[in-house]
Amino acid sequence: MAIKRLRAVAVLAAGCLVAGVTAACGGGGSSAAGADGLVLNVAGQSDNLTRVFNPYLANTALSVGSGGMIYEPLVEVNYVKVGDYIPWLAKSWAWTNGNKTLTLKLQHGVQWSDGKPFSSADVVFSYNLMKKYPALNLNGIDFDTVKAAGPDAVVLNFKQPAAQDFTTIVTLEIVSQHVWSKVSNPVTYQDKNPVGTGAFTLSKFSPQSYLLLKNPHYWQTGKPKIGGLRFIAYSDNQAQANALVQGKVDWAGTYIANYKQTYLSRSKDYHYWAPDVGMDGLIPNLDVFPLNDLAIRKAISLAVDRQQLGDSRNSHPATSQIGLPMPAFKDAIAQQYQGMNFTQDKAAAIKLIEGDGYTKGNDGYYQKNGKKLAFSISFPSAYTDIAAPAQVLVSQLKDVGIKVTIDGVAVDDINKMTSTGKFMSTIGYPVDSAPTVYSFYHNIMDPEFYKPVGTPTPTYQNIERFQNATAKKLFQQYPLATTDAQRNAIIAQLEGIWIDNLPMITLFYWGYYGDWSTAKVTGFPSDSDPYFAPNPNPVVAVNLVPKGK
């Protein structure tokens, strides 16, 4: 589902609708050999496609995973392996000055796709864009100054220790100064003909699909080994699954219901892997009735069968009450919370509801002061991997007298709803996976990001609108901690606040879906070789090799 690091939404790039794939996308086979070699078909999903490749805007054609294919960051973060950072445009880095200064040494000999040299000036320019145009700073990068230290090094200075924000800082897509300095307004710039350092460049574009061919100036010698990627979009997950099964698509990052029977059984070349990298569940609007009531959130957590919810979408059920995905973060569980796992207890849930002053009506649902205990779950109708657990949740909560309705919306609408707080609850739209324990809690429940309903939260952090004075103070203290013992003590307190306040009701863990065929290429990551996430992304793309070579 996720795309950007702050993944608020799963807005994938649009392309061919199902009915028009063959005619509009240049043939029905799973790949086509062009002048530059093998071109793979990659599936995506959205409601419409426009020729917008500005990497700093929320909804663009880059969202399908091609962002890093064209515009690259300094560092690639491997969410499959906690703490694994892959040198990319930056070959090395170091923190100094009490973690207030970050020095990055850049790769030598990098060129832009138009053949002009890449340098530290481009990096400085890109970061300064975030300062000059806050509307572009979707990831909330916060720094004091940035300067070049020669052509191949950059120094970022911060007002306070910032090592805890490393993954946010270094994953900014870098753009070319020689092109973007001539742009009058980067906030509205569409960037129809992008010039990047990535492995691929834009070749053809239509309202149905677009084609990326390998960049002849790419800095990673001998890569990519494939000729290109054709991005095709479909109306929903099921349409993508159908295309995969029929061999019309080589690679996707989509949910497939009953994937073993539906997909894997069809061919020895078909593969599916969804490594757990994040958590998901019911995301309440804490400024709106009835989920602003802690007793009701606790009742919901007790009432649900997480195993059934996880099974509905091929996901593992949430276990530890601290919320972080397990077992990846098992070592992060504070001693006092070891063994505190979720359990279903409908009787206890009902006791909480009735103790909160609710009485059951003739329709079987609880009510209080003339208000029914009811709420809606908003998410894009096209996302079947969210619809499945949402429908199960409706049934499970009906059993304890809570009425839940599903509010299906368009893919392009969900960002605005969650950002402005114009929703009661949602599933699938917290920030992206948590590379560190701190970033997990910081992104989801740091009161620093609180905005009242109606005021947008541009980075989508704390869309729940969680407020807690103790938590706010702890988040302020964490960057100033100088020892692991101090940091661990703060994390333990944050875990306790999460457990006691349920800013989000964790239900299951989510993975980066990867569906692919090895009929024509090899080199994909897998459970036995988890070098990176398997969804369409540049790290995997540059490691793909045509079969037989």
Side-chain angles (χ1 to χ4, degrees):
M1 292 184 298
I3 301 302
K4 283 188 174 286
R5 172 77 284 279
L6 295 184
R7 118 181 135 102
V9 276
V11 177
L12 302 186
C16 293
L17 297 179
V18 180
V21 170
T22 301
C25 292
S30 65
S31 63
D36 292 325
L38 187 70
V39 175
L40 301 181
N41 283 347
V42 183
Q45 176 180 324
S46 188
D47 297 329
N48 69 81
L49 177 63
T50 56
R51 188 165 179 160
V52 179
F53 287 89
N54 183 334
Y56 304 137
L57 300 184
N59 299 324
T60 74
L62 293 168
S63 303
V64 74
S66 60
M69 310 290 187
I70 296 176
Y71 290 112
E72 297 183 303
L74 298 174
V75 179
E76 288 283 359
V77 178
N78 186 359
Y79 298 107
V80 175
K81 294 181 180 179
V82 176
D84 183 24
Y85 307 128
I86 302 173
W88 216 248
L89 287 178
K91 63 182 180 181
S92 64
W93 50 87
W95 287 97
T96 55
N97 187 29
N99 290 339
K100 293 181 182 179
T101 299
L102 175 62
T103 301
L104 300 112
K105 295 185 178 180
L106 308 179
Q107 304 283 358
H108 184 71
V110 177
Q111 290 182 304
W112 293 99
S113 56
D114 61 3
K116 294 187 177 181
F118 162 88
S119 76
S120 57
D122 297 299
V123 179
V124 171
F125 176 81
S126 298
Y127 278 91
N128 277 330
L129 279 178
M130 302 302 104
K131 283 276 194 185
K132 188 174 181 180
Y133 301 96
L136 299 178
N137 193 10
L138 298 182
N139 283 6
I141 299 172
D142 186 16
F143 64 95
D144 188 21
T145 63
V146 59
K147 62 181 181 180
D152 294 331
V154 171
V155 179
L156 283 154
N157 288 297
F158 304 85
K159 291 182 178 179
Q160 66 174 16
Q164 71 283 349
D165 295 321
F166 178 75
T167 56
T168 298
I169 296 164
V170 298
T171 50
L172 177 72
E173 294 92 341
I174 306 302
V175 297
S176 56
Q177 182 180 26
H178 70 276
V179 173
W180 282 67
S181 61
K182 300 173 185 176
V183 174
S184 59
N185 186 358
V187 176
T188 59
Y189 181 49
Q190 294 186 341
D191 196 17
K192 293 184 176 182
N193 298 294
V195 174
T197 60
F200 301 91
T201 62
L202 180 64
S203 174
K204 296 180 180 179
F205 185 94
S206 78
Q208 293 78 36
S209 70
Y210 62 90
L211 174 66
L212 302 182
L213 295 180
K214 66 180 178 181
N215 178 4
H217 301 289
Y218 193 48
W219 57 275
Q220 293 196 44
T221 305
K223 295 182 178 181
K225 294 185 181 297
I226 58 172
L229 301 165
R230 177 184 292 107
F231 289 96
I232 308 168
Y234 297 83
S235 58
D236 55 34
N237 293 358
Q238 186 58 54
Q240 291 185 65
N242 291 342
L244 283 159
V245 170
Q246 295 166 15
K248 294 180 178 179
V249 166
D250 300 289
W251 190 13
T254 190
Y255 163 76
I256 301 178
N258 303 315
Y259 68 93
K260 291 182 180 179
Q261 179 179 356
T262 303
Y263 184 54
L264 298 185
S265 66
R266 301 299 184 95
S267 171
K268 62 179 177 57
D269 292 317
Y270 290 171
H271 304 270
Y272 179 96
W273 183 42
D276 288 339
V277 294
M279 49 74 69
D280 210 339
L282 188 69
I283 305 168
N285 187 330
L286 301 178
D287 276 351
V288 175
F289 174 87
L291 297 177
N292 58 346
D293 187 336
L294 178 58
I296 297 306
R297 298 200 299 277
K298 288 184 174 181
I300 290 171
S301 185
L302 284 167
V304 298
D305 179 343
R306 287 174 169 79
Q307 183 66 58
Q308 186 180 24
L309 287 162
D311 289 346
S312 72
R313 47 164 286 143
N314 304 334
S315 294
H316 295 121
T319 54
S320 173
Q321 291 187 32
I322 70 166
L324 279 75
M326 298 295 153
F329 288 92
K330 66 182 187 321
D331 293 339
I333 305 174
Q335 185 176 358
Q336 59 267 43
Y337 305 126
Q338 294 282 343
M340 285 187 61
N341 291 338
F342 294 112
T343 57
Q344 184 183 29
D345 190 336
K346 291 183 181 180
I350 291 172
K351 185 176 180 180
L352 271 174
I353 294 169
E354 294 180 347
D356 201 34
Y358 284 87
T359 57
K360 186 172 286 189
N362 294 331
D363 59 358
Y365 294 110
Y366 281 99
Q367 56 187 357
K368 180 171 68 172
N369 300 328
K371 288 186 176 181
K372 185 172 292 186
L373 184 48
F375 64 90
S376 60
I377 306 174
S378 301
F379 61 89
S381 305
Y383 294 144
T384 57
D385 56 334
I386 300 176
Q391 290 164 355
V392 173
L393 197 60
V394 169
S395 175
Q396 290 185 356
L397 294 184
K398 181 179 180 181
D399 290 344
V400 295
I402 301 176
K403 183 176 177 61
V404 181
T405 56
I406 291 177
D407 174 30
V409 303
V411 170
D412 293 338
D413 291 341
I414 191 67
N415 264 359
K416 185 176 181 180
M417 293 177 66
T418 57
S419 173
T420 57
K422 299 295 182 69
F423 70 103
M424 297 184 77
S425 75
T426 187
I427 297 175
Y429 301 94
V431 289
D432 204 347
S433 53
T436 68
V437 179
Y438 168 83
S439 65
F440 174 92
Y441 291 122
H442 173 65
N443 288 336
I444 296 180
M445 69 168 186
D446 190 339
E448 173 192 347
F449 303 113
Y450 173 83
K451 301 288 184 183
V453 171
T455 301
T457 56
T459 64
Y460 305 98
Q461 291 162 291
N462 192 11
I463 62 170
E464 297 88 346
R465 272 92 181 148
F466 180 68
Q467 297 189 80
N468 182 285
T470 302
K472 187 172 184 178
K473 185 176 295 185
L474 290 169
F475 283 117
Q476 292 170 345
Q477 292 173 349
Y478 187 89
L480 305 176
T482 57
T483 67
D484 286 343
Q486 291 173 339
R487 284 184 283 268
N488 290 339
I490 292 172
I491 291 298
Q493 292 178 76
L494 290 173
E495 290 176 356
I497 290 172
W498 179 275
I499 292 170
D500 293 340
N501 292 271
L502 285 178
M504 176 177 172
I505 303 168
T506 315
L507 300 176
F508 46 83
Y509 303 134
W510 64 268
Y512 276 137
Y513 301 122
D515 335 85
W516 67 92
S517 170
T518 53
K520 296 178 175 64
V521 291
T522 60
F524 291 95
S526 65
D527 193 22
S528 59
D529 182 19
Y531 72 84
F532 209 72
N535 60 305
N537 66 73
V539 176
V540 174
V542 300
N543 281 288
L544 297 179
V545 179
K547 205 163 187 178
K549 292 188 178 181

